[in-house]
Structures are given as structure tokens and as C-alpha cells.
Amino acid sequence: MLIRGGERPSPGEVLTVPDLAGPLPRLRLLAVTLPCVAVVALTVLRHTVVADRWPAHGHLLLDGFLTIATAVFAVAMAATVEQRHRQVVQRSLDLAAIETVAAAARRAHTPDDVAHSCLRAVLDATGAASARLDALDRLDPESDTTTWQFDDHPAATGAPGRTLPLTCADDPLGTLTIVGEDAVAHPLTDAAHAGIATTVASALHRARHLAHLHHECHDAALAERDRIAREMHDSLAQALDAAHLRIHAISAHPDLATSPDVADELDDVASLCEEAYADVREAILGLRTSAAPTHTLTQALEGYLAAWSRRAGVPARLDVETDSADALPPHDQNHVLRVVQEALTNVRKHAGAGCVEVRIGHGRSRTHVTIVDDGCGFDPADPTEDRYGLATMTERAHLLDGTLAVDSAPGHGTRITLDLPTPPPAPHPYVPTPERTTDASMSTSTMSTSTMSTTTPRATTIPGTRHAHARATS
């Protein structure tokens, strides 16, 4: 690849620099030395041998010889310069092709994005009709895709192809197959193809390493959340539950019958313990609920709403009109899940709602997650209200490149809408077929993918029962 000032090549990337330091000094030396040597030699001959042996016509022979030698020297120099020029132009074309692929690889991060960006860049750099990347193993722990293909001209995909091995740091990653190259518009050497393959391999190696690190960090975070949840359950939750039961037992003591003030105070303390216990149980539920590769965001929301409804005693409904939120990366799905959890916590603690509805909708390349309740509502502009929960939800919305809108008024319930960009549809693995058919209606650039099934809206209702003191056993 071509390295600009201030940049460093990634491990395993090819650094190709035109080798012009050697030929140019030699060419300059010959261009100066040979004419001088020839002039000196002819001058010596003119005044010695020619003047003694051919005084009449010797100078004509020397002039003719000088003319012929000058012409031969000029032709040789022109041929040498032209050859070097062709080499420089060819090397510039090779470096430009490698740089095109390297620039596309630098803009991508996940293995899937790197594969698509590099294949698109390979088609642009080589003018090929088709490019396919076959990985030996999964590059992303969260994806089963091992083959990607782009076809710029599907009718020409049967042309002879070139298969390049992808290896980085002695680690074989797979192969890159380029079919139907345009050798006239994009004349590339074998060294350029090797540089392209090495650049693609280095980008895939880096992306695979980052994907595994991200997966390990995600698993570590989930394990830590489970550990904290267990610690809270075994210590704080148990202590609050025991304190609540002991306070109720003390309140029932006959000696307190003659002390109504003390009994009322104990009831208030018991209510505080019960509320704190409910908060701890909800925090434990939130810690143990997360979007993971084994289930989608919709499935995580269904399970959380069912558990929340049982604990809060408030019927909760999940209305899913699109599966676009399930296409978000797991980290982003967790942000969406935490926003819903915080909103439902506020409903349980402050709203006094009779029912709650969570909706996932889609419109104009945006995904909308809406939490609606029929509770008491509040004034969002009131500066005296505690806004820590709303601030946290707003921060998560900004991390998703989205926005959070709060629509509420006293006595009219609350509507919280999380608006975020819809991710592009996940590509399906390329499946090679024995024969290819050409469709005139195909676009200029199509990617081979499987047909995606149509998602129909679905609604899941989680019934809840209202009761004074919700308790849940582990």
C-alpha cells in the first residue's frame, strides 16, 4: 500500500515504494560521461592517427562516425527513458489500486463491513466484473457469514478469474477471487494483485481481532452484571426483605396498641423498606436482562415486560411493527433496552398507571421505540422535578445517534419516544449456484444475497394483575 506522511502501515500490510534511486543516478552518469569520452577520443584520433594516415579525407570519416554514434546514443537514451517512464506509470497504477483498497479498508471496522468495502474497492480498482471473498472460518463470533460476493456485470461472471490467497502474519484467512478484469483500462501487475490481497488480508485480520475483543468485552460485561445481580440478591435484597418482615412483626406486638404514633412510624418505615426492596428487585431484573446474540431485542423486551408486569402489577403490552431494531448491534440493542427499563421504572415509581404499552415502529429510515402509559403524567418543563432518569435516557439516545422526546402533562399520562437511525439490512451469505442467469432488469451493481422473508407486524400482550405488595421469589 502507499503510505502518506504521518501514517503508519498496519501489521502485515504491504509497503511498496518505487525503486527509482538506483536507475536515475546511473542514467545521469551515462548521459554525461559517454558523450565526453567520445568527444575526447575523437579529438585525440583527429590530431594523431587521422592527421598522419588520412590527411585529406580522415576528418570526414570521423564526422560520419560521430554522427552515427550520436544518433545511436540518443536512440538508446530515449528508449531507456521511455522504459523507465512505463515502469513508473505502471507502478503508479499499481500503487493507486492498492491505495484504493487500503482506503476502503480503513473506513470499515467490523468484518462484514470490511469485506463489503474491500470487494467494492477491488471492483473499482481492477474493473472486474465480479469479486468474491471466501473465509476459511467465521470472522465475527456473532455472524455465520463466511462468503461475500459483488457482481458489477453478472453476465461476465463466467470469464476466467484470478484467485489470490489471503494470509496475514502466517495466518491463512481465505481467498479472494477476481473475475473478468479489465486489463485495458486497469492494467495491473502480479505485484499489485499480491499487494491488494495482502491489504485485504490485513484489514480482515484486524477486523476479526477487534470483533473477538468486542465479543469478549460484551461477555465480560454480562458476566459482571450477573455477578452484581447475585450479590445484590444475596445481600441487599435479603436484608431489606428481612427488615420489612421484622418491622411488620414488631408492629403487630400488643404493647404498641397503646402507642399509635409509634405504630404509624413503623408502618412508614415498613413502606420505605418495601419500596426499596421493589427497587432492588427491579435493578436485579434489569441487570440480568440484556440483548445477547442468542436472542433478539424483541425477545428480551418480551421477557422483561412479562417479569416487570408481574412485579409492578401493571398490564404491559408490546407492539412490534418492524424488526429493524433487532438488526441493531448488540451493544446498541442494550442501550435501547436500558431506555425502556428506565422508563418503566419511572412508571412503577411515579405514574400510578393502569397499563403500559411499548411500541416499535418504522418510518423514513428511522426506528421509533415508544413507551406510553396512562398514569398521572408530569410537567417536563418543571425545574423542581428530578430529571436524572430522563437525562440518562437522553444520553443513551445520543450514543445511538438518535433523539429522545418526552410528551406529558399532569393528568394525561406520558409518552416517551426514542428515535434512532434504522440500520441497513443484514446481508445474507452468498450461496454459489451451478448456473447463473442474467436478468436485464438487474441494477448495475448487485450483491448476491438470499431472499429475505417479509416480516409481519406482531403484538404481544403481557397480562398483569394489580396487587398491593408484589413479591417475587428468585
Side-chain angles (χ1 to χ4, degrees):
M1 62 176 292
L2 181 62
I3 302 299
R4 297 188 178 96
E7 295 183 356
R8 293 183 179 181
S10 301
E13 289 184 330
V14 171
L15 178 60
T16 307
V17 179
D19 185 16
L20 300 179
L24 286 179
R26 290 194 297 270
L27 188 63
R28 188 185 304 114
L29 179 63
L30 291 176
V32 174
T33 304
L34 288 181
C36 294
V37 171
V39 170
V40 171
L42 291 176
T43 301
V44 172
L45 290 175
R46 183 187 300 274
H47 292 286
T48 56
V49 178
V50 174
D52 295 339
R53 296 187 179 184
W54 304 291
H57 304 287
H59 65 281
L60 296 178
L61 295 175
L62 288 178
D63 291 342
F65 178 77
L66 179 61
T67 302
I68 295 174
T70 302
V72 172
F73 178 76
V75 171
M77 289 296 295
T80 302
V81 172
E82 184 178 358
Q83 178 185 7
R84 296 302 180 187
H85 178 264
R86 285 196 301 267
Q87 292 177 354
V88 171
V89 171
Q90 181 62 59
R91 193 160 299 178
S92 298
L93 292 175
D94 292 348
L95 289 176
I98 296 174
E99 171 62 14
T100 299
V101 179
R106 287 194 296 268
R107 291 193 296 267
H109 301 286
T110 66
D112 191 72
D113 291 342
V114 168
H116 284 91
S117 298
C118 288
L119 286 179
R120 180 69 267 170
V122 166
L123 292 181
D124 295 338
T126 63
S130 174
R132 189 177 77 245
L133 194 156
D134 298 288
L136 296 179
D137 199 0
R138 292 193 309 170
L139 301 178
D140 192 339
E142 299 176 1
S143 175
D144 293 331
T145 304
T146 58
T147 301
W148 298 264
Q149 175 158 334
F150 270 96
D151 295 329
D152 262 1
H153 305 286
T157 53
R162 179 196 299 263
T163 300
L164 305 172
L166 300 179
T167 304
C168 182
D170 296 330
D171 181 17
L173 300 176
T175 58
L176 173 64
T177 303
I178 307 173
V179 179
E181 290 186 68
D182 188 354
V184 176
H186 302 273
L188 300 179
T189 63
D190 292 340
H193 289 93
I196 290 174
T198 304
T199 302
V200 173
S202 176
L204 290 175
H205 185 271
R206 182 186 69 247
R208 183 182 65 175
H209 180 65
L210 292 177
H212 281 274
L213 284 179
H214 182 273
H215 185 69
E216 292 174 1
C217 291
H218 182 70
D219 290 345
L222 293 181
E224 182 64 13
R225 294 175 70 91
D226 288 339
R227 187 192 67 80
I228 294 174
R230 288 194 302 269
E231 293 293 333
M232 291 177 63
H233 172 269
D234 295 339
S235 57
L236 185 57
Q238 298 290 359
L240 286 172
D241 193 29
H244 179 262
L245 294 177
R246 293 189 64 180
I247 291 173
H248 270 296
I250 294 173
S251 300
H253 198 278
D255 294 342
L256 295 178
T258 59
S259 303
D261 294 338
V262 177
D264 292 341
E265 188 68 23
L266 288 174
D267 289 340
D268 292 341
V269 175
S271 298
L272 290 175
C273 288
E274 184 177 8
E275 184 177 352
Y277 179 82
D279 291 341
V280 171
R281 296 297 303 182
E282 188 165 340
I284 293 174
L285 176 63
L287 287 171
R288 287 181 171 175
T289 304
S290 61
T294 55
H295 54 268
T296 64
L297 174 63
T298 301
Q299 293 171 338
L301 284 174
E302 289 175 350
Y304 180 79
L305 282 177
W308 180 89
S309 182
R310 289 194 302 269
R311 298 181 186 279
V314 179
R317 173 183 171 86
L318 177 63
D319 188 2
V320 181
E321 300 175 358
T322 176
D323 60 354
S324 59
D326 292 339
L328 289 168
H331 185 69
D332 293 347
Q333 292 186 29
N334 279 325
H335 280 306
V336 175
L337 184 59
R338 302 307 171 207
V339 170
V340 174
Q341 289 175 350
E342 180 62 31
L344 293 179
T345 298
N346 292 336
V347 171
R348 180 187 63 80
K349 297 176 65 174
H350 309 297
C355 64
V356 179
E357 184 175 7
V358 179
R359 304 170 189 162
I360 300 179
H362 175 72
R364 293 186 180 182
S365 301
R366 308 286 292 184
T367 298
H368 314 291
V369 181
T370 307
I371 305 98
V372 183
D373 69 77
D374 59 353
C376 61
F378 66 98
D379 183 6
D382 187 358
T384 62
E385 295 288 339
D386 183 12
R387 297 286 183 265
Y388 180 75
L390 291 178
T392 301
M393 289 189 287
T394 303
E395 291 173 358
R396 291 188 182 274
H398 290 165
L399 291 175
L400 296 171
D401 294 330
T403 59
L404 187 79
V406 180
D407 182 14
S408 182
H412 293 83
T414 302
R415 177 192 298 268
I416 297 177
T417 302
L418 174 63
D419 181 87
L420 61 152
T422 298
H428 286 240
Y430 168 74
V431 179
T433 54
E435 297 182 356
R436 296 182 179 273
T437 59
T438 303
D439 187 357
S441 63
M442 294 182 67
S443 59
T444 305
S445 178
T446 59
M447 183 175 66
S448 301
T449 58
S450 303
T451 303
M452 298 183 65
S453 60
T454 303
T455 304
T456 56
R458 64 184 186 276
T460 304
T461 303
I462 299 102
T465 57
R466 294 187 60 83
H467 49 85
H469 307 292
R471 283 281 188 262
T473 59
S474 301

